[in-house]
Amino acid sequence: MNKKMVKKIFIVDDDDMMAMALEDHLTRNTLHEIHVFTTGEECIKNLRMQPDVIILDYNLNSVQKEAANGMAILDAIKKLNRDIPVVLFSSQDAYSVALQSINKGATQYVIKDEKAFDNIVAICNS
Amino acid sequence: MKRILILIALLVPACLWAQVDYSELSMPELSKKIEAEVRAIKASEGKGDKQSMSHSLGNAADLYLSVARKLSESEETDQIVKAKQTSLTRSIDYARKAIATSEEVGELEQMKTSYRTLIAAQKLSGDIKGSLQSSREMLALKKTVFSNKKVAELEKRQIEYQHTKREDSIRQQKQAAEEHLKEQARVLALKQKQLDSTSRTLSATEQEKTSVSMALKKTQSDLTMEKLNALEKERKLTLAEEEQALQATNMQLQNSKLELQQSELALQRSKMELQQNELQIKDRKLSNQRLYIYIGVVGILVLASFLFFIGRERKKAVQQKLRAERSERFKQEFIANISHEIRTPMNAIIGMTGLLIQKNPSPEQESYLKAISKSADILLHVINDVLDLSKIEAGKLELEKIDFSLTDTLKQVKDTLSYRAEDKGLQLITTVDDKLSDVIVGDPYRLNQVLINLGGNALKFTEKGGVHIDVTKEKEEGEYVWVKYAIVDTGIGIPADKVSKLFESFSQVKSSDTRKYGGTGLGLSISKHLVELQGGTISVESVVGKGTTFSFVIRYPVGSTERLQQRLASEQNADGTILNGLRILIADDNEYNRLVVNETLHLMADVETDEVVNGQEAVDLLKANNYDLILMDVQMPVMNGIDATKYIRGEMKAPKKDIPIIALTASVLRADLDLCFESGMTAYVPKPFKPWQLVNTIAEVTGRERQPGVPSTPKQAQKKQAEKPKPQPAKAEHVKEEPAKQDATGVGAEATAAASTFDWEKVTNMDYLTTFCEGDQKRMQKYIKVYLNALPAFHKNIAAAIENKDFVELALHVHSFKPKWMMMGMKKTNDLGVQVDHMAKSQNEKAFEDVKIILEDIDKSQKELETMV
């Protein structure tokens, strides 16, 4: 039983609907502690809170033009702490994007569709 | 007389030791002094300095007394006696004034001195009574002074007691007080002596006077004595009282000490109480804490049991879900296995039979081969039906959304069905309304399937007459067109009571019909599902013996001919030359499949290929040689494609571990494709594939994207001509049948009903959100509000992107809105969004047109959703 009952989960998504829905879903279906950030920079700033899982959106600059994108944030997270599992969360269904993120060290790649929320819950619980 | 005076003169200095003796002075000096003193009196009176005035008055009185004494030493002439009396009177006057003044100022010593002067003067003037009176006054004064002093001292002592609370000082003060008393007693004794001497003086005077006056004096003196005794007694009494007062003070002191002790005790008691209170509070706190702990423990127990319960429930649910998933998975695997195990040999049978027929067989052999081929076709058809139905039922069938030509599709349908019609000597007519815009956006393959199914069905159950497939425009609104399809036959007809059963799986009107007409009975069921997937409803009208009409209406967005030609071009211009020089490893256990892949590749490009029959060989060969790509079958003996890919990705070293791997699979099940991607495969090509699919996929994964607008070489074009069916002719070339509009009148009412179903067809669908929010209206409204609030910004961003022709912005905003469409159940909008996203990314101007449809959908969704919040 090295699995933590309650994990600290970071959600990084600039899409209000997705962040809200995911937070809502995780709060209702798990006991985990959820923190939502709308930019990757904010997530990096709060990395010392030592999250157990980071769910990272691929597109992070649809609202703030100057915000860094998911891949850059993934690189930054991995540079600061290689061991935090990062789940890329994207509506990009291009296989190359998934492959690229896995190569960069993402643990999982989840496509934003109807099953995404349950997938994320399963990932967070494992 | 002289002796008495001398006595007094002697007595006075003894008594008044502090007084200045003026007796040595001569008369003129005395009178000078008097004058000086009188001036001083006036001066000090003028200044209001009563202190110095009282001194001067006393001095004046003394001076006058001295004058009187001097005069009494001289001969007793009338003149002298008069002068002596005058000076005495003045002395007495001044003395009295001095007493009054010093009393005012509180100069007690001056008062005493003045009293003494007064008494002496009175005695000298022979006023015994006055002198006694003065003596008494003086005594009273002294007493007052003394008692005043005592009171002051007592007060002081009391204050000191109160302040210092030291017994020592009290004792000292007591001693001091006793000393004072003794002194006073001494003073009293002295007074007595004085009185004695006075009485002796009186008795001496008596000798000189008559016995009567003697007696009188004696009586008086007795009286005085008595009075003095009384005074003495009074004095003692006062002393005793003082003693008592002192004792009382002591008592008070003790009392106050006691009180102090008591108050200290009280203080201690209150402290004790305080401590007790504190203790009680602590006690209470402790008991409260204990209570909290109890509550906490109980709460934790309840929570734990609750969690345990929930956990067990969830575990149960999860187990059930897992079981359901496993059985679903098992079913899917079974179907996929059937699909693979049957399709692969079927492909081989059909392909090889086709080859044999071309090898000049004998007529007998040819008839056998044709029978094999036909049976194989039927079997493949049945298998495809079964697979389609299972896919539809599992909700796994996904519709295409591409531009296609209605006339082309109808021509294909007619081509497919015409030989069957010819066989039975039936007429087959297809008509397309020329008011219809020919190119629309939808799924041509599924439309084709439905029309072939229904048309084939109609032909099957018709013995004479014919079948008419009629396509007309129901209506057109904005970007959308409603297309009505009617399949009319002159067959046996369906009894009204059987119509409702018609679309159930494995259903034919009579079981005997099955034997007679053949078929799986799945066709209608699949058609119904497919039409519903495309947003329509099939309806049937039938008269037994006369014929049947199947009809349905589907809404399509109006398409673009340009886009259609682009698509066809991209499919047909699969320019294999871009693959030239690639080294490709083909892993497939089926020889026929390897042959097809090899042939396809070599016909289109100059590539090097190696073939292996299982995953293990693929891995070994990859270790030995360098390849640009692996085409990997999924199901192979020894080591399957999934395991081989996992090994390559996990165990081998770069760059070989990163080699692109394309899955070749007969399975179209999502779960199987997921497995491919999970293992690390780069892409997949379904089996059987079209050459352009293979070429395009290889080009994509190897980074050899086709350059738009670069024409293929003539050699390649020729190869393609040989390989591919002739491109479909454009609409103009297609020979249109006579539009049979009148035939449609019979189904007009029904068509209107069908059309009306489209009117209330919504762009939004709350199914997903309802499930997600577990039916909680408030939560749903929360999401709907977020969606509605995001719309103005979306409109603004898209408008800006259109105006600036900014592909990047357009793609970004359309892309980022996809999750919102998903949540709002706007599947069609979402699909359109995906297309616009892709178009914008490939810099296709059409994106700016198509995004307008999205904006319309969004306006509709706004109207639909605003009623909900």
Side-chain angles (χ1 to χ4, degrees), chain A residues 15 24 28 59 95 114 117, chain B residues 681-682 779 783 815 820:
Chain A
D15 182 68
D24 204 2
R28 270 162 201 280
N59 274 326
Y95 186 73
E114 281 91 339
F117 299 115
Chain B
M681 288 185 179
T682 322
R779 281 176 69 198
Y783 287 101
H815 181 86
K820 292 194 172 75

Side-chain angles (χ1 to χ4, degrees), chain A residues 5 15-18 20-22 24-25 28-31 58-59 61-63 65 90-93 95 99 103 112-118 125, chain B residues 307 314 321 658 670 674 677 680-683 768 772 774 776 779 782-783 786-787 790 809 812-813 815-816 818-820 822-824 834 838 841:
Chain A
M5 227 352 219
D15 182 68
D16 48 357
M17 173 89 79
M18 220 53 206
M20 189 171 114
L22 190 54
D24 204 2
H25 196 73
R28 270 162 201 280
N29 294 291
T30 71
L31 295 170
Y58 178 74
N59 274 326
N61 56 354
S62 65
V63 182
K65 293 283 149 231
S90 171
S91 39
Q92 288 280 353
D93 45 11
Y95 186 73
L99 196 67
N103 286 341
K112 287 182 185 174
D113 60 10
E114 281 91 339
K115 283 182 256 159
F117 299 115
D118 291 328
N125 285 336
Chain B
L307 282 177
R314 200 184 275 179
K321 203 179 161 192
D658 296 324
R670 181 91 188 208
D674 286 349
F677 287 128
M681 288 185 179
T682 322
Y768 180 70
F772 182 79
E774 293 148 346
D776 184 337
R779 281 176 69 198
K782 193 172 77 177
Y783 287 101
V786 169
Y787 173 76
E809 279 289 295
L812 178 69
H813 290 293
H815 181 86
S816 69
K818 285 198 278 189
K820 292 194 172 75
M822 183 195 85
M823 295 293 282
M824 295 300 124
V834 173
H838 285 309
K841 275 174 185 155

Side-chain angles (χ1 to χ4, degrees), chain B residues 476-522:
Chain B
E476 191 167 358
E477 259 179 40
E479 299 281 315
Y480 291 97
V481 61
W482 280 257
V483 179
K484 184 183 173 189
Y485 303 88
I487 296 96
V488 186
D489 69 49
T490 53
I492 53 169
I494 308 158
D497 59 320
K498 303 279 184 185
V499 168
S500 60
K501 276 193 166 182
L502 206 59
F503 296 107
E504 285 172 17
S505 300
F506 308 105
S507 137
Q508 282 184 347
V509 177
K510 284 184 205 161
S511 56
S512 61
D513 290 346
T514 315
R515 266 167 277 140
K516 191 174 170 187
Y517 298 108
T520 56
L522 288 173

Side-chain angles (χ1 to χ4, degrees), chain B residues 327-596:
Chain B
S327 71
E328 179 67 16
R329 171 83 203 152
F330 182 76
K331 193 177 151 193
Q332 285 178 9
E333 269 173 14
F334 174 71
I335 291 165
N337 280 333
I338 286 182
S339 148
H340 182 265
E341 299 300 332
I342 297 174
R343 267 190 203 180
T344 309
M346 283 308 295
N347 282 335
I349 292 166
I350 294 165
M352 298 303 171
T353 313
L355 288 172
L356 265 180
I357 290 174
Q358 287 167 13
K359 302 245 165 172
N360 294 324
S362 66
E364 200 183 24
Q365 284 170 329
E366 196 182 326
S367 69
Y368 292 159
L369 285 172
K370 276 190 179 165
I372 294 171
S373 179
K374 200 178 172 188
S375 303
D377 274 340
I378 292 166
L379 186 54
L380 194 62
H381 191 74
V382 170
I383 293 161
N384 284 338
D385 271 3
V386 171
L387 288 173
D388 273 351
L389 194 66
S390 77
K391 268 199 278 180
I392 291 166
E393 281 175 350
K396 298 214 182 259
L397 194 87
E398 280 164 21
L399 289 180
E400 293 266 7
K401 236 183 174 183
I402 53 173
D403 294 80
F404 71 97
S405 157
L406 267 175
T407 47
D408 286 357
T409 308
L410 262 292
K411 190 174 182 305
Q412 281 169 24
V413 170
K414 193 178 179 185
D415 287 348
T416 313
L417 294 176
S418 59
Y419 77 96
R420 277 200 243 175
E422 280 166 27
D423 278 359
K424 287 183 88 172
L426 296 170
Q427 228 188 336
L428 175 69
I429 308 165
T430 56
T431 50
V432 179
D433 189 348
D434 59 0
K435 284 183 210 143
L436 265 171
S437 34
D438 189 47
V439 180
I440 50 178
V441 180
D443 189 333
Y445 313 112
R446 297 301 167 186
L447 176 64
N448 189 301
Q449 196 180 350
V450 171
L451 291 178
I452 287 172
N453 248 326
L454 292 176
N457 222 37
L459 286 170
K460 199 188 281 176
F461 294 100
T462 303
E463 298 303 327
K464 56 180 179 188
V467 174
H468 180 198
I469 301 175
D470 184 28
V471 182
T472 51
K473 185 168 91 172
E474 180 72 24
K475 63 171 176 173
E476 191 167 358
E477 259 179 40
E479 299 281 315
Y480 291 97
V481 61
W482 280 257
V483 179
K484 184 183 173 189
Y485 303 88
I487 296 96
V488 186
D489 69 49
T490 53
I492 53 169
I494 308 158
D497 59 320
K498 303 279 184 185
V499 168
S500 60
K501 276 193 166 182
L502 206 59
F503 296 107
E504 285 172 17
S505 300
F506 308 105
S507 137
Q508 282 184 347
V509 177
K510 284 184 205 161
S511 56
S512 61
D513 290 346
T514 315
R515 266 167 277 140
K516 191 174 170 187
Y517 298 108
T520 56
L522 288 173
L524 277 179
S525 180
I526 290 168
S527 299
K528 178 175 179 276
H529 281 298
L530 288 176
V531 169
E532 279 167 3
L533 265 177
Q534 294 175 83
T537 322
I538 291 188
S539 54
V540 192
E541 237 182 54
S542 187
V543 180
V544 177
K546 290 247 171 150
T548 309
T549 302
F550 286 88
S551 61
F552 57 95
V553 178
I554 294 174
R555 184 189 73 160
Y556 299 98
V558 175
S560 109
T561 315
E562 192 186 286
R563 205 163 49 194
L564 170 66
Q565 276 164 359
Q566 241 176 24
R567 180 172 67 79
L568 291 176
S570 83
E571 283 180 7
Q572 286 155 18
N573 286 349
D575 186 353
T577 52
I578 54 169
L579 306 183
N580 283 353
L582 285 178
R583 288 153 301 171
I584 300 170
L585 179 62
I586 302 162
D588 200 317
D589 58 327
N590 187 293
E591 196 189 346
Y592 172 78
N593 283 344
R594 287 202 304 275
L595 187 72
V596 171

Side-chain angles (χ1 to χ4, degrees), chain B residues 571-829:
Chain B
E571 283 180 7
Q572 286 155 18
N573 286 349
D575 186 353
T577 52
I578 54 169
L579 306 183
N580 283 353
L582 285 178
R583 288 153 301 171
I584 300 170
L585 179 62
I586 302 162
D588 200 317
D589 58 327
N590 187 293
E591 196 189 346
Y592 172 78
N593 283 344
R594 287 202 304 275
L595 187 72
V596 171
V597 172
N598 232 333
E599 284 291 294
T600 310
L601 287 173
H602 283 290
L603 270 172
M604 299 186 75
D606 292 327
V607 293
E608 288 172 35
T609 54
D610 282 323
E611 293 177 21
V612 291
V613 297
N614 61 49
Q616 187 58 55
E617 283 183 18
V619 170
D620 293 343
L621 214 56
L622 178 61
K623 279 178 184 166
N625 304 327
N626 286 323
Y627 294 100
D628 296 309
L629 170 81
I630 302 175
L631 293 170
M632 182 91 79
D633 184 24
V634 174
Q635 296 194 4
M636 291 184 285
V638 185
M639 183 191 258
N640 68 30
I642 304 283
D643 291 340
T645 307
K646 278 182 186 164
Y647 180 85
I648 292 165
R649 297 279 186 248
E651 305 295 323
M652 293 182 78
K653 283 177 191 161
K656 284 185 181 175
K657 70 178 281 194
D658 296 324
I659 186 169
I661 300 173
I662 296 175
L664 290 173
T665 174
S667 173
V668 285
L669 294 181
R670 181 91 188 208
D672 287 335
L673 297 183
D674 286 349
L675 267 181
C676 293
F677 287 128
E678 278 164 25
S679 72
M681 288 185 179
T682 322
Y684 86 96
V685 171
K687 283 194 292 193
F689 55 82
K690 290 185 178 138
W692 61 266
Q693 281 179 309
L694 186 62
V695 170
N696 285 353
T697 310
I698 294 174
E700 202 178 300
V701 300
T702 53
R704 297 191 174 203
E705 300 281 357
R706 184 168 47 85
Q707 296 294 308
V710 175
S712 53
T713 63
K715 180 196 166 198
Q716 291 299 321
Q718 271 173 4
K719 272 183 182 171
K720 267 179 282 162
Q721 285 275 315
E723 189 71 16
K724 304 227 13 123
K726 249 177 76 183
Q728 294 299 326
K731 187 183 176 182
E733 286 176 51
H734 181 62
V735 182
K736 278 197 151 232
E737 305 286 340
E738 190 64 32
K741 282 297 287 180
Q742 284 72 22
D743 293 358
T745 48
V747 287
E750 171 196 317
T752 318
S756 72
T757 61
F758 285 96
D759 280 334
W760 46 259
E761 190 195 6
K762 290 180 169 181
V763 289
T764 60
N765 183 343
M766 290 294 109
D767 289 353
Y768 180 70
L769 193 60
T770 310
T771 313
F772 182 79
C773 295
E774 293 148 346
D776 184 337
Q777 287 293 323
K778 278 195 180 163
R779 281 176 69 198
M780 287 172 71
Q781 285 180 357
K782 193 172 77 177
Y783 287 101
I784 293 170
K785 275 179 195 159
V786 169
Y787 173 76
L788 290 174
N789 289 342
L791 294 185
F794 183 75
H795 270 293
K796 209 180 104 191
N797 290 331
I798 297 297
I802 292 172
E803 202 188 310
N804 304 327
K805 294 273 170 204
D806 190 335
F807 286 112
V808 178
E809 279 289 295
L810 185 70
L812 178 69
H813 290 293
V814 169
H815 181 86
S816 69
F817 231 66
K818 285 198 278 189
K820 292 194 172 75
W821 292 322
M822 183 195 85
M823 295 293 282
M824 295 300 124
M826 297 167 69
K827 194 180 180 319
K828 283 179 182 169
T829 316

Side-chain angles (χ1 to χ4, degrees), chain A residues 10 14 16 28 32 34 42-43 77 80 82 92 94 98 100 110 112 125:
Chain A
F10 278 17
D14 67 340
D16 48 357
R28 270 162 201 280
H32 305 317
I34 318 291
E42 229 180 301
C43 164
I77 292 170
L80 289 167
R82 276 207 66 80
Q92 288 280 353
Q100 192 194 353
V110 177
K112 287 182 185 174
N125 285 336

